[in-house]
Amino acid sequence: MMKLLLACSAICMMGSCHAQTDPPAVAVLQKTAAALNSFTKMSYHYTREMRYYENNYHNIDSAALYVEYIKNSPIGLRFQANQERSAFIYDGGITLRLDKKGMTIDSASVKTAREMESSSFLYHSLPMLRNILPLIINNDSIQKTVSDTTISAQSFLCVKLEGPGMYFTLTDIKRAQSPVAQKVYYLIIDKKTYLPFQFIAKFIRGRDDRDFVTIAYTNINTRPVVPPAASWTYVAYAHQYQPFRPDVKVPMVKTGDIANNFRLPDYTPGFIDSVSLYQFAGKIVLLDFWFKSCGPCMEAMPHYNALQNKFDTAHFQLLSINIEDGEKDMQFFFNKFRPTYKMLYKGGEVFKRMGLPGCPSLVLLDKKGKVVQVAVGFDQQAIEKKIEEVMAQN
């Protein structure tokens, strides 16, 4: 299946099909919108492949979904999503998360649409296309062209959508402020049913035009078997699943704390050394926590060498600490950035012990190991100014 997704994307982008002008494309989209709005419930299976070459990121996930459109829901629907190791249920007001491996269940109330828009199951989903296709059709700033394409000897329609920095949420079309967020979309449509077959997003982030997200919709059933009424309720699972108990939240490290020592592997090609925090006693140390699927982390990393090189290594050391990726990823990023700083990894436990809420997170230590600043997000000018202030005081 994955080879088919990439092949279709390549066919459309290379222009091997005969593109037509906007009116025919709009007519196709109108038929697809009508098809998606012609039923009140459906089931389908999706496979999503994400590839960001610039960040060495590749992920494939899938789920079987049942969707039912209802009025008493902030997003106008309820759905169930089943995966091999988990399940997610949203009844229009309450969410249930089932961990099939750990046999735990977690529930939460949902009061607004915004709380559900970030659900990965709704990202580039058929319900999203149902909501935004009318907006796309009526938006003159989005260029729309239609082509024919063939996948496994079957002919499909390929509608190309182009607009300046646009991206789609569950219910709206947004404009990104950064030019690197520009996207081009391809909607692959079944000629018989006019239902979507694939949805492809190109130019996801960075400057590598090979990046893509592709979603394939299969086993679409507009007359699905309706799940039992009890399957939407907590009590249906309570006898089998134990309540989920989150890890005890560690207080976030704060100004004035003395940082505890740690020892982590330091990546250097052909040689993995270990580094402890205490070996940099007498230096100002900046700890930067990151992982490769974190967009803001990737935006920050090209600036690390400049930050390290601005200050004398006799007085300042930057330690970038990856919290979840492995040695092969360290090799990729070392070759890409050629760091003049220390690139440490396996730092997940250190990150947890510091109680940090997200990445990139920065913890600045003075020469005695005392925390002088904690920040989430990377602001090069701000952190350089703070390092200069600490140097002046020591």
Side-chain angles (χ1 to χ4, degrees), residues 280-345:
F280 301 104
K283 293 185 180 183
I284 295 169
V285 177
L286 178 64
L287 310 178
D288 175 84
F289 295 89
W290 65 281
F291 58 100
K292 72 177 184 180
S293 56
C294 161
C297 299
M298 295 298 97
E299 292 178 6
M301 286 191 73
H303 304 286
Y304 289 170
N305 274 339
L307 180 60
Q308 177 66 73
N309 296 340
K310 180 170 182 176
F311 301 101
D312 189 340
T313 54
H315 303 290
F316 171 74
Q317 181 64 57
L318 168 60
L319 303 179
S320 81
I321 303 175
N322 185 282
I323 67 173
E324 67 178 32
D325 303 311
E327 186 176 331
K328 288 185 178 180
D329 288 307
M330 295 306 101
Q331 180 182 22
F332 175 89
F333 287 106
F334 187 97
N335 291 337
K336 179 177 181 178
F337 294 112
R338 297 294 175 181
T340 57
Y341 50 89
K342 296 289 186 180
M343 183 177 281
L344 313 184
Y345 62 109

Side-chain angles (χ1 to χ4, degrees), residues 66-189:
Y66 169 84
V67 178
E68 185 176 327
Y69 296 97
I70 59 176
K71 293 182 178 180
N72 57 334
S73 164
I75 59 173
L77 60 87
R78 64 177 184 170
F79 71 93
Q80 297 187 11
N82 277 287
Q83 297 179 298
E84 182 179 353
R85 297 185 178 183
S86 64
F88 184 88
I89 299 164
Y90 171 62
D91 71 351
I94 300 293
T95 62
L96 302 177
R97 298 176 186 271
L98 280 65
D99 180 345
K100 297 178 183 179
K101 183 178 180 181
M103 297 304 293
T104 61
I105 182 171
D106 189 21
S107 66
S109 62
V110 177
K111 296 181 180 179
T112 66
R114 178 172 291 184
E115 293 175 82
M116 285 301 300
E117 284 190 345
S118 61
S119 169
S120 63
F121 300 112
L122 299 177
Y123 173 68
H124 290 183
S125 64
L126 291 182
M128 183 206 78
L129 290 173
R130 173 177 162 137
N131 289 334
I132 66 168
L133 278 181
L135 303 179
I136 292 172
I137 291 168
N138 294 314
N139 191 323
D140 293 336
S141 69
I142 298 176
Q143 183 180 352
K144 315 163 191 73
T145 53
V146 63
S147 313
D148 284 325
T149 191
T150 302
I151 302 174
S152 298
Q154 183 177 349
S155 181
F156 292 90
L157 294 166
C158 176
V159 177
K160 182 178 181 181
L161 306 170
E162 294 181 272
M166 68 178 178
Y167 66 95
F168 305 127
T169 68
L170 177 62
T171 59
D172 201 4
I173 301 171
K174 304 256 184 180
R175 299 292 179 188
Q177 298 299 317
S178 172
V180 298
Q182 181 181 357
K183 299 182 183 180
V184 178
Y185 296 90
Y186 301 88
L187 179 58
I188 313 304
I189 299 168

Side-chain angles (χ1 to χ4, degrees), residues 211-315:
D211 290 355
F212 67 87
V213 174
T214 297
I215 301 188
Y217 314 103
T218 55
N219 301 327
I220 298 176
N221 186 349
T222 58
R223 295 183 179 179
V225 175
V226 179
S231 68
W232 301 93
T233 65
Y234 187 100
V235 294
Y237 310 96
H239 68 287
Q240 187 178 5
Y241 290 82
Q242 297 298 314
F244 170 74
R245 301 190 184 283
D247 295 336
V248 177
K249 190 173 182 180
V250 177
M252 188 170 71
V253 64
K254 62 183 184 298
T255 301
D257 290 348
I258 299 297
N260 293 323
N261 191 31
F262 58 78
R263 181 174 290 276
L264 294 173
D266 172 25
Y267 184 84
T268 304
F271 179 72
I272 306 299
D273 198 2
S274 64
V275 165
S276 73
L277 176 61
Y278 282 2
Q279 76 185 63
F280 301 104
K283 293 185 180 183
I284 295 169
V285 177
L286 178 64
L287 310 178
D288 175 84
F289 295 89
W290 65 281
F291 58 100
K292 72 177 184 180
S293 56
C294 161
C297 299
M298 295 298 97
E299 292 178 6
M301 286 191 73
H303 304 286
Y304 289 170
N305 274 339
L307 180 60
Q308 177 66 73
N309 296 340
K310 180 170 182 176
F311 301 101
D312 189 340
T313 54
H315 303 290

